[in-house]
Amino acid sequence: MSEYTSYANLVALLRELGVRTLEDRTIDGKVGFPVAVPLADGGSLVLDMPFPAFLAALNPEALGVAILDPLGYVRTSWGLARRVPAFKPGQSVLESPIAGLMEGSYQGGQGALYLDGYRYFSAGLSSTELTDVFVLVVNAQEERQVRKQASKSWRMANALKRLGKTLTMNQTMAPLCVAAAHEIASTAELASVLLWTHNPDDGTLELAASVGANRLGTNALNRLSTLNGAGCAAELVASTRQSFRLMNVVDNVLTANLEAKFCYLKPGGLSVHPLVISDRLLGVLEIIGREDDAYFEENEELFQTIAEHLALALNSAAMFENFEQLATRDPLTGLSNHRAMHEFLHQRLLEAERTGQELGIIMLDVDHFRSFNEEEGHDAGDDVLRLVGEALKSCLRPYDLAARYGGEEFTIVMPGSSHSGVVAAAERMRKKISSVPYTTRSGRERGVTASFGCAVFPSTAKDAGGLLKAADVALYEAKHRGRDRVVLFEGQLSSIARPQGVPPDSIYALLPEDEVVAARDRLHRLALDMDALSTSLKLSDSQRSILEALLLVAPYYTGADAQHRAALDQTDHFRLLTPSLESYADRFDAEEGNRIPLLARILAVLLELDKDGGRNLMQDPTRYDPEIVSLVAELNRAA
């Protein structure tokens, strides 16, 4: 029997048994699933099975097979392939998203593709005369979840990386909020982001930054309060401290007239989070997605993580600003402190030199403040200083700086102010302070006044030290003329110098006639010791002059009653003496004895030396500064 006869007999036998071959397609037009059976002569017989026999034992819900004709239409399908949209009857696969894979298979290639939860494997059927394509479809939902999770993890990692870099680059609150809002909106491709921060002064929420919201929305939500109920989503979150989510902003009464209308891009979902650290509300973050954002709901975990990181950053920024304020602000008045004033003055002086502009300095001193403290108490004095600070703030321009220079003295730096401008500003401040109402605890009204000294760069002085000194000289002159007035330093600093020390005649004028004789005798007895100590301790001429005045007046001041002391304190020059007079009797061996002024320590030793030859210096040596006692002993031995 010839090979062809054997092959024909085999085909005929199979037909009798109901088994189709590929040739039967030309007879009945039916299309099955081809299976090539190898023959002994090296050829093959292609059977056309009604189902893919090699997959029959597998789950048709998990995989499927399709045979495509040269035009991309489905000839036959089985299992999962019947439900895949790409193999819809009457539709060519060449017009579907997997067309690229199919075209490669029609050209004799093989390939694989993942798309929308399905993985496709395709190859051309080389055993047919027609160029058909065999496609195996596998359900890849698990792969889809893995890909989805991987994409989500990448988005989270990328977003947090970018946000973290932004947060670490900004230490203060305002720039931090603006940068964070823009970075969040950009990273997550959002319609809008709004960020409120908590105002500790009045407990409200202030809009610190916004992206994607028009002016109508930002004006309506600029300041929020939780005291009168929740009028918007952010107020609800602030009051409950619970996150709030919506699938669409048009679906809720709190957002339908706000978020649904004020976004530049058409909004979709909403996610609002409280920013809380240690049960302290620092702010509220509101995130609004775009209408067509398929990932918005999936990003909820990302938004929660962003809120947590942002809360930590805001807390750090608040702490940084608090520490910075402690370093640059006077805690009593809230004005800048001495250090901050000098830094500001030096910066503005450099600008004035570069631009050729003037710069004004005002120094002021609260009149009779020491007596006020003694009569009304230090708490009342603190109240007055706070009131003066508030009065100064109300008279400043945005670019001026007011500082507490020390004690009851204040300094104002006014960039760009001329002589007339600085005097006019000082007059406004003087009138404002004099109009400050202060009621003592007893219900008595007591007036507050201040004296002002002014100087202007560059006509008065060329550096910060000279400018401050000139203003101080003018302030001293205002005090000398009767207080509660403004004096402008005129001319160059070298033309006028503030009186140094205390003239003896001014002290003699304060003493009773019999005390004047005793004071002169005492000064004469201690002159040599005073000169020697002044030389050994390297006292300046001003310090030596003040020490002489202290020796003249100390015994009388100690024995005077409170009324006479108050009268002395209010006289010219005497404020230079008061710190030493009030502390020279303190024990040096008490805690922090070095805080006793140097002239007070010298005065105590000299008066004890004049009293009984210094016997008590030997009997109770720890009461006095040991360095000064030692110097006196060496001087006596040398004599």
Side-chain angles (χ1 to χ4, degrees), residues 10-11 13-35 37 45-50:
L10 176 59
V11 171
L13 177 60
L14 291 174
R15 284 175 179 161
E16 290 180 7
L17 296 175
V19 179
R20 290 165 45 78
T21 65
L22 201 61
E23 287 83 349
D24 293 327
R25 292 185 178 183
T26 60
I27 300 173
D28 57 20
K30 296 181 179 179
V31 178
F33 296 92
V35 177
V37 179
L45 174 65
V46 181
L47 304 180
D48 201 25
M49 307 300 292

Side-chain angles (χ1 to χ4, degrees), residues 294-327:
Y295 295 106
F296 187 81
E297 186 176 0
E298 297 177 9
N299 285 337
E300 185 58 37
E301 183 180 353
L302 170 63
F303 299 151
Q304 180 65 45
T305 305
I306 286 176
E308 293 170 358
H309 282 257
L310 184 56
L312 291 171
L314 291 180
N315 186 55
S316 298
M319 293 176 62
F320 178 83
E321 290 186 349
N322 286 338
F323 285 129
E324 189 177 51
Q325 186 170 10
L326 289 174

